[in-house]
Amino acid sequence: MSWRGVYSLAWRLGQPLVRRYLKKRGAKAPAYLEHWDERFGVRFAPRAKGAIWIHAVSVGETRAAQPVIAALRRRFPAAPLLITQMTPTGRATAEALYPDAEVRYLPYDLPNAVAGFLAAYKPVFGVLMETEIWPNLLAAAEKARVPMFLANARLSEKSLAGYKKVGALVRPAVKSFAAVLAQSDADAQRLAELSAAPVLVCGNSKYDIAAPADKLALGESFRAAIGARPVLVAASTRDDEEALLLDAWAARKTLDALLVLVPRHPERFDAVAAMASERGLTLARRSAGLGQLQADTDVWLGDSMGELFAYYAAADVAFVGGSLKPLGGQNLIEPASVGRPVLFGPSMFNFAEASALALSAGAARQCADAAGVVAAFDALIADRAAREAMASAASGFTARHRGASERMAAEIAARVADCRR
């Protein structure tokens, strides 16, 4: 049996485990229990036939796809838009951003399910964002003559080592791409080791994301409600990083300030609120309205969706989560783009180039642990000149690296035209 045959068999035999996983996630986040027919390719009722198709796993990839989608729609104005996800939060983000699009889950990588998906929708082409390499999907697309692209592509050394262990499965999948559009030279070199497909360096589309005007205005409202106190926004926190930050916040004995915690996953909001209360910290919640914020509030919980830019706009300093534990970090470009000094922890392998560039530009500081994050915040608040220099460097850093989305869209459009000839 071929490697792909073994892989497909594993998917078929693993279906009970997948369903059990969804039920377990659904106990905390009920949205995971919805739309199972889409996940398993039970039936299709396509509205967006002959579409531009973008697959973005979750929230981060969906946001990163925004400027790419805009550039593609300018080049394919008559084509409808189909966006697929794997998580409920990603799906909700896409539905909010694109009310005119068809938004649904991509079926799991079962041969019949993905082949049925492609046969039903007949997309003009498909764009998989960042790290999505699905062998059965790509084999089915090649058979159906649907050009596929890996856009904003990144690959860490750790992921490369893992893929090499199953090279007989992964290499044909990567080779089938019409093009791989990498974020950096290092990503391109690693991706080229997996495939003979064209690998081009286009940059990172996250630099092209502009903060929405309404979110910046909302940030001003947040700031007015907070008052003059210094504000540290700790966003996209994961896996109980909040406990580490709250311990460090409770231990500080310097100036009065407000910690704003914005967990990445909404099902953890209540748990994070409990963490703050357990430490004797005064907590307010965004969901309770701005009126709950008081002068003695220690922690404000950002338990809302789609307002991340507003939180960053209200900050003096921003910390990017997923970096205190070995999780690879989250998007540091967003706070930098609104001119906020950026702090992050020791683990940033998912944003290796962006974090290195931000550090080199003087836009960011890397901290060893949560205590270091709080100490860096206090130091920046005490040194206004240093804080303003970092803020200016952050704005300049993001401005210098824009343009990736147009490069990706131009390359995709050219190769799609070649496939049609």
Side-chain angles (χ1 to χ4, degrees):
M1 185 180 290
S2 69
W3 270 93
R4 195 157 66 83
V6 173
Y7 169 80
S8 300
L9 179 62
W11 262 111
R12 284 194 288 269
L13 295 177
Q15 291 307 289
L17 295 176
V18 173
R19 292 174 187 275
R20 189 180 306 168
Y21 165 79
L22 290 173
K23 288 179 180 178
K24 185 177 180 181
R25 289 299 301 267
K28 293 184 177 180
Y32 273 94
L33 303 178
E34 300 173 0
H35 307 292
W36 277 34
D37 55 334
E38 295 178 2
R39 291 187 182 276
F40 295 97
V42 174
R43 60 181 179 271
F44 301 99
R47 292 184 289 107
K49 286 187 178 182
I52 295 170
W53 166 40
I54 311 292
H55 177 62
V57 179
S58 192
V59 176
E61 294 85 357
T62 302
R63 287 180 179 149
Q66 279 183 265
V68 180
I69 290 171
L72 287 171
R73 293 186 102 174
R74 287 193 289 272
R75 289 166 171 81
F76 298 90
L81 177 61
L82 170 66
I83 307 179
T84 56
Q85 265 86 25
M86 299 300 286
T87 69
T89 50
R91 184 185 184 121
T93 299
E95 288 171 343
L97 291 173
Y98 299 103
D100 64 324
E102 181 168 356
V103 180
R104 53 157 294 142
Y105 291 128
L106 180 68
Y108 290 125
D109 206 28
L110 295 155
N112 290 340
V114 293
F117 168 81
L118 291 168
Y121 282 94
K122 295 180 171 60
V124 178
F125 58 86
V127 179
L128 309 184
M129 294 297 294
E130 299 202 8
T131 59
E132 292 296 282
I133 301 172
W134 294 104
N136 284 328
L137 174 66
L138 290 165
E142 189 172 32
K143 185 176 181 180
R145 298 182 180 275
V146 176
M148 297 296 293
F149 300 87
L150 187 64
N152 221 41
R154 57 183 173 85
L155 187 68
S156 67
E157 289 286 357
K158 181 179 179 181
S159 295
L160 175 61
Y163 281 141
K164 282 183 174 179
K165 292 177 182 177
V166 289
L169 173 67
V170 173
R171 289 182 192 280
V174 180
K175 184 180 179 180
S176 72
F177 282 114
V180 175
L181 310 174
Q183 292 186 15
S184 70
D185 289 333
D187 290 311
Q189 289 170 8
R190 288 189 284 267
L191 287 158
E193 289 188 45
L194 292 177
S195 170
V199 180
L200 307 168
V201 179
C202 291
N204 190 337
S205 68
K206 291 182 172 73
Y207 290 105
D208 297 329
I209 299 171
D214 63 324
K215 297 301 183 290
L216 296 179
L218 181 61
E220 292 180 4
S221 299
F222 287 175
R223 191 68 210 213
I226 292 167
R229 288 192 297 161
V231 177
L232 171 62
V233 169
S236 299
T237 51
R238 299 168 56 190
D239 288 20
D240 293 340
E241 287 181 310
E242 301 88 1
L244 303 175
L245 290 163
L246 288 165
D247 284 339
W249 197 254
R252 63 196 291 278
K253 296 178 171 52
T254 55
L255 74 167
D256 178 37
L258 177 68
L259 173 65
V260 181
L261 283 176
V262 189
R264 180 165 178 78
H265 298 118
E267 61 266 29
R268 298 187 58 250
F269 289 159
D270 289 343
V272 174
M275 290 177 194
S277 298
E278 287 165 4
R279 288 158 176 80
L281 296 168
T282 303
L283 175 82
R285 299 180 69 141
R286 163 72 176 116
S287 58
L290 298 182
Q292 194 185 65
L293 275 169
Q294 302 295 323
D296 63 347
T297 300
D298 298 309
V299 179
W300 193 33
L301 178 61
D303 57 347
S304 64
M305 296 296 294
E307 295 184 341
L308 192 55
F309 271 116
Y311 292 115
Y312 283 141
D316 290 291
V317 178
F319 165 77
V320 176
S323 61
L324 290 175
K325 293 189 173 185
L327 301 169
Q330 297 297 150
N331 185 1
L332 64 98
I333 298 168
E334 288 179 335
S337 71
V338 292
R340 297 300 180 265
V342 181
L343 307 176
F344 48 78
S347 178
M348 288 295 289
F349 58 80
N350 285 331
F351 293 84
E353 187 191 48
S355 59
L357 290 171
L359 290 169
S360 177
R365 293 185 185 180
Q366 192 161 26
C367 306
D369 52 27
V373 171
V374 173
F377 165 72
D378 286 337
L380 285 169
I381 295 303
D383 188 343
R384 180 174 180 175
R387 186 172 75 254
E388 290 179 347
M390 277 188 75
S392 177
S395 296
F397 151 70
T398 53
R400 282 193 297 276
H401 296 285
R402 290 182 185 134
S405 301
E406 285 293 332
R407 289 189 287 272
M408 289 182 215
E411 191 64 40
I412 290 169
R415 290 182 183 271
V416 169
D418 287 343
C419 290
R420 287 173 166 175
R421 292 193 181 108

